[in-house]
Amino acid sequence: MNIVLLDPRQTQSEIWSISSKRQIEHLITHVNVQVGDTLKVGVREGKRYLTEIVEITAQAIRVKALNEEVVPQKLPVTLIVAMPRPKVLRRLIMDSVTLGVEKIILLHSYRVDKSYWQSPFLQQLDQYVTLGLEQAGDTIAPQIEIYKRFKPFVEDVLPTLISSQTPAYVAHPYARVAMPFAIEHPCTMVIGPEGGFIPYEIELLEKNGCQAVSLGNRILRTETVISYVLGRLFSTT
Amino acid sequence: MNIVLLDPRQTQSEIWSISSKRQIEHLITHVNVQVGDTLKVGVREGKRYLTEIVEITAQAIRVKALNEEVVPQKLPVTLIVAMPRPKVLRRLIMDSVTLGVEKIILLHSYRVDKSYWQSPFLQQLDQYVTLGLEQAGDTIAPQIEIYKRFKPFVEDVLPTLISSQTPAYVAHPYARVAMPFAIEHPCTMVIGPEGGFIPYEIELLEKNGCQAVSLGNRILRTETVISYVLGRLFSTT
């Protein structure tokens, strides 16, 4: 946790109260905070501040804002990912949020086990978003959308995300073109499931405006590929 | 598992036997292999082959080599990481191996909890190396070295890893120079612990030839930062 995120309703008065058990426990046990220490606090969907701790009790840590700080910029990318296993989903959301992805789309695909859509983790996405934001020092949650039908999404929604200034890439091991790097424009990035998209899906993605690009001949896990690709695409930032 | 790794001793005769319980279970349960299917098999520290399955029993899956395949190249990088929490260590080793890191060095640092060095995971590194190689389709394990004393390592060992053709970078949030990208030479990359290196450590690293470089103002977790940085550094491959 590199910033404590508060709800705007917690920051109405001059003194703000950190009252979440998770946050208090972290601050007391791991950071060992003391009255008088400074603490980075973000207002969800709002600004970020350096604050000073004015009171610590078992129920609340109270802080007073000192200066406004800069909220890190987002990466101009829409990440479309075939719905992964629940455990991977958790990390994928946290990592994507930490890295600054602007919009995340979870998509069904042939090799996605249908049971993944029943995962209770799907109801807890906001928790993972919070953890990702607190790791990055960010305050703005990405948009998250869910599409449980591949074909209608690819035919009707995907084309609206693509333009000449915003190309879309799908990582595909057999593509002949290499994944671009250090791009200076927004883009949409499509990542397949474990085992990859089936040929029909790759064809449909290509037909609807995605360029299939290769990441070399190592096969990476979903969690690994996302940060690898984002590091590569947005090298210049 | 995108390749089945065998010990060279398992590949002495014309027919090779896959006899590890883990591998057999994966192939039968997840891949649903059948006699006559092809299967990618690698010989540890050796070559990689397309094979044909000739027999399946509960105790062994037997294969016959068809053609030799290309083993993916390594990234010319030495990764020096402050020893992470055991759970993170496991993923870090798997990911680094999958991504093709040539050499991994685990290092003590001020903010590394001493208990991490007692972790039983440290005795199981080779298992994680195997999983990482099997994910990537690689056969060659990276070198892994462990240094439990920061100062002697930085003063005596680190300089031997640096040359004008092989620079060393340490990721540091307050550095003014940005992390390079798409480099075309080998390098050494140093990643700090949760909470970062202390100023004394950064100074000692700089004094001994490391350049402190920044990854922007988002603070990434160790697991995330490694694939992010490797994607950025080796964009051209």
Side-chain angles (χ1 to χ4, degrees):
Chain A
M1 197 196 293
N2 293 299
I3 191 174
V4 177
L5 268 190
L6 295 180
D7 190 275
R9 287 167 296 185
Q10 290 173 279
T11 60
Q12 307 279 313
S13 54
E14 205 197 333
I15 303 291
W16 305 343
S17 282
I18 300 165
S19 53
S20 127
K21 218 175 135 187
R22 174 184 64 81
Q23 291 172 333
I24 293 174
E25 197 175 300
H26 178 87
L27 292 172
I28 289 178
T29 314
H30 292 287
V31 191
N32 189 21
V33 289
Q34 307 293 334
V35 170
D37 287 356
T38 58
L39 187 67
K40 292 174 195 292
V41 172
V43 182
R44 193 128 175 192
E45 306 309 318
K47 293 178 176 171
R48 180 181 139 161
Y49 300 88
L50 190 68
T51 71
E52 185 187 326
I53 298 178
V54 295
E55 193 191 359
I56 301 178
T57 71
Q59 285 75 42
I61 294 173
R62 296 197 167 80
V63 301
K64 194 176 67 181
L66 299 175
N67 316 311
E68 205 178 305
E69 289 193 326
V70 178
V71 175
Q73 282 204 310
K74 291 268 187 257
L75 296 179
V77 62
T78 297
L79 187 65
I80 302 173
V81 195
M83 180 69 175
R85 279 180 291 134
K87 248 177 70 176
V88 175
L89 173 65
R90 193 172 155 270
R91 287 206 37 229
L92 181 151
I93 296 290
M94 284 202 287
D95 282 358
S96 307
V97 172
T98 300
L99 289 162
V101 170
E102 223 164 42
K103 183 171 178 177
I104 302 168
I105 292 176
L106 299 171
L107 178 62
H108 190 63
S109 128
Y110 184 79
R111 292 213 176 99
V112 169
D113 192 309
K114 288 224 171 85
S115 69
Y116 297 172
W117 294 107
Q118 314 306 325
S119 163
F121 281 6
L122 261 181
Q123 312 307 321
Q124 297 161 17
L125 292 185
D126 195 59
Q127 278 178 37
Y128 309 136
V129 169
T130 302
L131 295 175
L133 292 173
E134 288 188 336
Q135 169 67 40
D138 195 354
T139 60
I140 315 286
Q143 274 181 271
I144 302 185
E145 294 175 4
I146 290 177
Y147 292 90
K148 294 191 190 175
R149 292 175 64 212
F150 183 83
K151 191 163 178 265
F153 171 80
V154 174
E155 289 184 334
D156 302 336
V157 183
L158 181 61
T160 68
L161 302 173
I162 304 178
S163 75
S164 58
Q165 281 81 46
T166 312
Y169 309 111
V170 52
H172 184 54
Y174 304 116
R176 274 191 225 141
V177 179
M179 169 84 65
F181 64 91
I183 62 175
E184 294 185 343
H185 52 76
C187 77
T188 291
M189 180 71 225
V190 187
I191 305 283
E194 267 184 83
F197 285 119
I198 59 172
Y200 162 79
E201 292 174 327
I202 288 287
E203 274 163 40
L204 201 68
L205 286 164
E206 289 187 308
K207 217 164 84 185
N208 286 280
C210 276
Q211 186 180 12
V213 290
S214 152
L215 276 169
N217 51 6
R218 293 180 174 271
I219 304 175
L220 308 179
R221 297 188 301 163
T222 306
E223 315 95 283
T224 318
V225 84
I226 287 174
S227 38
Y228 187 79
V229 166
L230 294 177
R232 178 178 175 120
L233 284 176
F234 299 103
S235 293
T236 53
T237 55
Chain B
M1 198 198 290
N2 293 299
I3 192 176
V4 177
L5 269 191
L6 295 181
D7 190 275
R9 286 167 298 186
Q10 291 174 279
T11 60
Q12 307 279 312
S13 54
E14 206 197 332
I15 304 291
W16 306 342
S17 283
I18 300 165
S19 54
S20 127
K21 217 175 136 184
R22 174 184 65 81
Q23 291 172 333
I24 293 174
E25 199 175 298
H26 178 88
L27 292 172
I28 290 178
T29 315
H30 293 285
V31 190
N32 188 21
V33 288
Q34 307 293 335
V35 169
D37 287 356
T38 57
L39 187 68
K40 291 174 195 290
V41 172
V43 181
R44 191 127 176 194
E45 306 309 318
K47 293 177 175 169
R48 181 181 138 161
Y49 300 87
L50 191 68
T51 71
E52 184 188 328
I53 298 178
V54 294
E55 193 191 359
I56 301 178
T57 71
Q59 285 74 44
I61 294 173
R62 295 199 168 78
V63 301
K64 193 176 67 181
L66 299 175
N67 316 311
E68 206 179 305
E69 289 193 327
V70 178
V71 175
Q73 283 203 308
K74 292 268 187 254
L75 297 179
V77 62
T78 296
L79 187 65
I80 302 172
V81 195
M83 180 70 175
R85 279 179 292 133
K87 248 177 70 176
V88 175
L89 172 65
R90 196 172 152 268
R91 289 207 34 231
L92 180 151
I93 295 289
M94 284 201 287
D95 283 357
S96 307
V97 172
T98 299
L99 290 162
V101 170
E102 223 165 40
K103 184 172 177 175
I104 302 167
I105 292 175
L106 298 171
L107 177 63
H108 190 64
S109 126
Y110 185 78
R111 291 209 177 102
V112 168
D113 193 309
K114 288 225 171 85
S115 69
Y116 296 173
W117 293 107
Q118 314 305 324
S119 163
F121 281 6
L122 261 181
Q123 313 306 321
Q124 297 161 18
L125 293 186
D126 195 60
Q127 277 178 38
Y128 310 137
V129 168
T130 302
L131 295 175
L133 293 173
E134 287 188 337
Q135 169 67 40
D138 194 355
T139 61
I140 315 286
Q143 274 181 272
I144 301 185
E145 293 176 5
I146 290 175
Y147 292 90
K148 295 191 190 175
R149 293 176 65 211
F150 183 83
K151 189 162 178 266
F153 171 80
V154 174
E155 291 185 332
D156 302 336
V157 183
L158 180 61
T160 68
L161 301 174
I162 305 177
S163 74
S164 58
Q165 281 81 47
T166 311
Y169 309 112
V170 52
H172 184 54
Y174 305 115
R176 274 190 225 145
V177 179
M179 171 82 67
F181 65 91
I183 62 174
E184 294 187 340
H185 51 76
C187 77
T188 290
M189 181 68 225
V190 188
I191 305 283
E194 268 184 82
F197 285 118
I198 59 173
Y200 163 79
E201 291 173 328
I202 289 288
E203 275 163 41
L204 200 68
L205 285 164
E206 289 188 307
K207 218 165 84 186
N208 285 278
C210 277
Q211 187 180 12
V213 289
S214 153
L215 276 170
N217 51 6
R218 293 180 176 271
I219 303 176
L220 308 179
R221 297 188 301 162
T222 306
E223 314 94 284
T224 318
V225 84
I226 287 174
S227 38
Y228 187 78
V229 166
L230 294 177
R232 176 176 176 121
L233 284 175
F234 299 103
S235 293
T236 52
T237 56

